[in-house]
């Protein structure tokens, strides 16, 4: 019963999109038919005019073998051909413009429909992601109030509640920062910082939050860069959250930091299902989620990797994804350091 409003919304959206496409197709067909009919009428008019001129010439000049008759006939034939090519040329130009315009409008309608669908999916995902941690935290707190639990159970419930609030904070930060960066309302406060320390702190925080997950870290020390600490934390958080989300529970999450002469490379490797080649360029698009049903069942809003890409670009860095053998993916962020 709870999914009924969502289904109704999806059906209304599909019906509206379908009606728009049908109206668009009918309008294009009507315009093309009108253009063809106009060309036919003009061509018929040209032929009638050609015929009338020849009849008038035959009446005015009786001898068809004279030079005058031949000269006037040649002018009439030239005028007929000129009008024929003019109508054909104008028709071709109009046809090309109509088809180009129709293609432009079709692409715009398709993009808007896709964007609307993505935004709807995002709204539904955010609604679910917000309601779940709130419901779990509320249930845990009510249990703590109503029941006299032993210390171990109380501690477990409190830890679960803290995990859900951390998840809620992570989601709201993603939404807020995404909106601010897109609207250029967030002022990027760059400062000299040690990326090694920041990355180590993030990994240790995830180790506390997910004690049952295996984290392998290989972080070189003293990787100094210039950047916004908050945004870089969000970038790292999203990469690690993404790895945890798609990795099996027994699969380790590898976090590395490597220093090079003019760059610092941070990489996060998982042992999940991997990403198809045709999807690798799309995953950094806002609201985009991989079309694989196995991955769509995972929680997510389609903002995480978009934010990673946006933050990386704002820090003179490149983000990429490659396959990890025998399975999984490696996300790498390469920060270019000015000498």
């Amino acid at each position: 019963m709870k999914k009924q409003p969502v289904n109704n919304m999806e059906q209304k959206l599909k019906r509206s999109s379908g009606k728009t496409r049908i109206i668009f197709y009918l309008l294009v067909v009507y315009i093309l038919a009108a253009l063809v009919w106009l060309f036919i009428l003009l061509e018929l008019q040209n032929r009638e005019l050609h015929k009338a001129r020849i009849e008038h010439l035959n009446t005015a000049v009786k001898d068809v073998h004279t030079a005058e008759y031949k000269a006037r006939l040649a002018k009439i034939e030239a005028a007929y051909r000129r009008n024929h090519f003019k109508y054909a040329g104008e028709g071709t130009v109009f046809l090309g413009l109509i088809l180009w315009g129709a293609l432009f409008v079709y692409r715009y309608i398709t993009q808007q429909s896709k964007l609307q669908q993505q935004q709807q999916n995002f709204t539904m995902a955010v609604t679910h992601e917000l309601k779940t941690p709130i419901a779990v935290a509320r249930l845990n707190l009510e249990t703590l109030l109503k029941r006299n639990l032993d210390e171990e159970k109380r501690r477990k419930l409190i830890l679960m509640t803290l995990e859900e609030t951390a998840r809620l904070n992570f989601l709201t930060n993603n939404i807020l920062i995404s909106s601010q960066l897109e609207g250029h309302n967030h002022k990027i406060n760059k400062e000299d910082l040690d990326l090694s320390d920041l990355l180590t702190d993030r990994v240790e925080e995830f180790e506390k939050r997910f004690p049952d997950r295996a984290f392998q870290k290989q972080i070189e020390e003293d990787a100094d860069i210039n950047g916004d600490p908050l945004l870089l934390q969000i970038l790292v958080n999203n990469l690690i959250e993404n790895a945890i989300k798609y990795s099996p529970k027994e699969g380790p999450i590898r976090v590395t930091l490597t220093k090079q002469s003019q760059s610092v490379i941070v990489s996060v490797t998982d042992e999940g299902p991997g990403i198809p080649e045709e999807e690798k360029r799309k995953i950094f698009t806002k609201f985009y989620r991989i079309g694989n049903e196995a991955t769509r069942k995972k929680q997510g809003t389609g903002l995480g990797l978009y934010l990673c890409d946006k933050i990386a670009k704002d820090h003179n860095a490149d983000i990429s994804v490659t396959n990890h053998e025998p399975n999984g993916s490696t996300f790498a962020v390469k920060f270019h350091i000015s000498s």
Side-chain angles (χ1 to χ4, degrees):
M1 295 297 293
K2 292 182 179 179
K3 292 185 178 180
Q4 190 64 31
V6 173
N7 292 335
N8 289 339
M9 189 182 299
E10 289 179 348
Q11 291 174 1
K12 288 180 181 179
L13 180 61
K14 289 180 180 179
R15 285 198 296 267
S16 176
S17 177
K19 288 179 181 178
T20 303
R21 289 176 184 274
I22 290 173
I23 293 173
F24 171 73
Y25 294 146
L26 290 176
L27 184 61
V28 172
V29 170
Y30 173 79
I31 293 174
L32 291 177
L35 179 63
V36 172
W37 180 243
L38 178 62
F39 175 76
I40 292 173
L41 290 178
L42 289 174
E43 185 61 24
L44 289 175
Q45 183 182 25
N46 189 34
R47 290 181 182 181
E48 290 295 326
L49 182 60
H50 175 256
K51 182 179 178 181
R53 285 176 175 174
I54 290 180
E55 290 178 353
H56 177 73
L57 176 62
N58 290 336
T59 303
V61 182
K62 300 297 184 179
D63 189 356
V64 298
H65 298 291
T66 61
E68 180 187 0
Y69 181 89
K70 292 180 180 180
R72 294 176 64 176
L73 180 61
K75 289 183 179 180
I76 293 173
E77 294 294 340
Y80 171 75
R81 289 193 298 270
R82 187 166 55 250
N83 288 335
H84 174 77
F85 288 119
K86 182 179 71 172
Y87 298 148
E90 290 176 349
T92 301
V93 171
F94 282 130
L95 178 62
L97 290 174
I98 291 171
L99 292 177
W100 180 82
L103 178 62
F104 178 82
V105 173
Y106 174 79
R107 291 180 62 183
Y108 176 79
I109 292 175
T110 302
Q111 290 174 355
Q112 288 298 112
S113 177
K114 186 182 295 184
L115 180 60
Q116 189 176 9
Q117 184 64 52
Q118 288 176 340
Q119 289 175 336
Q120 182 188 0
N121 293 340
F122 169 74
T123 302
M124 291 187 293
V126 167
T127 301
H128 175 74
E129 296 257 333
L130 286 173
K131 290 176 69 176
T132 301
I134 292 173
V136 173
R138 180 177 178 178
L139 179 62
N140 290 344
L141 292 174
E142 288 176 348
T143 303
L144 289 170
L145 284 174
K146 294 178 180 179
R147 298 184 182 182
N148 293 321
L149 304 175
D150 58 59
E151 186 61 28
E152 182 62 27
K153 290 183 178 179
R154 286 175 61 86
R155 177 178 173 79
K156 185 176 181 181
L157 283 177
I158 292 173
L159 288 176
M160 288 174 59
T161 304
L162 288 174
E163 169 58 29
E164 292 302 326
T165 56
R167 176 181 164 191
L168 188 60
N169 183 60
F170 173 78
L171 175 63
T172 53
N173 275 342
N174 270 0
I175 297 173
L176 180 62
I177 293 298
S178 172
S179 175
Q180 290 178 342
L181 289 177
E182 195 169 64
H184 304 287
N185 295 323
H186 179 83
K187 183 179 179 181
I188 300 178
N189 298 310
K190 291 186 177 182
E191 59 184 63
D192 292 332
L193 56 87
D194 190 335
L195 187 59
S196 302
D197 288 344
L198 185 148
L199 187 59
T200 300
D201 290 343
R202 291 295 88 213
V203 176
E204 290 177 353
E205 177 66 24
F206 276 95
E207 287 175 334
K208 294 177 183 178
R209 287 178 56 193
F210 301 92
D212 58 333
R213 302 302 294 255
F215 290 89
Q216 299 175 354
K217 55 185 178 183
Q218 186 176 354
I219 302 173
E220 296 185 15
E221 297 181 350
D222 301 325
D224 297 323
I225 68 169
N226 185 262
D228 186 313
L230 174 61
L231 294 182
L232 292 175
Q233 286 181 23
I234 292 174
L235 184 151
V236 174
N237 285 348
N238 276 294
L239 290 180
I240 299 179
E241 284 272 2
N242 192 70
I244 293 173
K245 185 188 305 180
Y246 295 109
S247 286
K249 288 187 177 180
E250 64 278 5
I253 308 298
R254 299 180 181 85
V255 181
T256 65
L257 184 149
T258 306
K259 294 193 300 182
Q260 297 181 350
S261 59
Q262 297 295 323
S263 63
V264 174
I265 302 175
V266 174
S267 64
V268 178
T269 302
D270 62 69
E271 293 188 356
I275 302 172
E277 288 296 328
E278 63 273 13
E279 301 279 1
K280 288 181 179 177
R281 291 186 178 180
K282 303 176 184 177
I283 57 175
F284 298 105
T285 304
K286 191 175 184 180
F287 303 139
Y288 186 81
R289 298 193 69 197
I290 296 176
N292 189 321
E293 286 302 319
T295 57
R296 279 191 182 277
K297 293 178 181 178
K298 301 290 185 179
Q299 298 171 343
T301 60
L303 280 181
L305 292 178
Y306 162 77
L307 268 179
C308 290
D309 182 61
K310 186 77 172 64
I311 294 171
K313 288 178 179 176
D314 288 337
H315 285 78
N316 191 30
D318 302 317
I319 186 169
S320 61
V321 57
T322 55
N323 295 332
H324 171 66
E325 299 299 335
N327 55 292
S329 303
T330 296
F331 285 86
V333 184
K334 184 175 184 179
F335 296 88
H336 302 282
I337 301 175
S338 301
S339 56

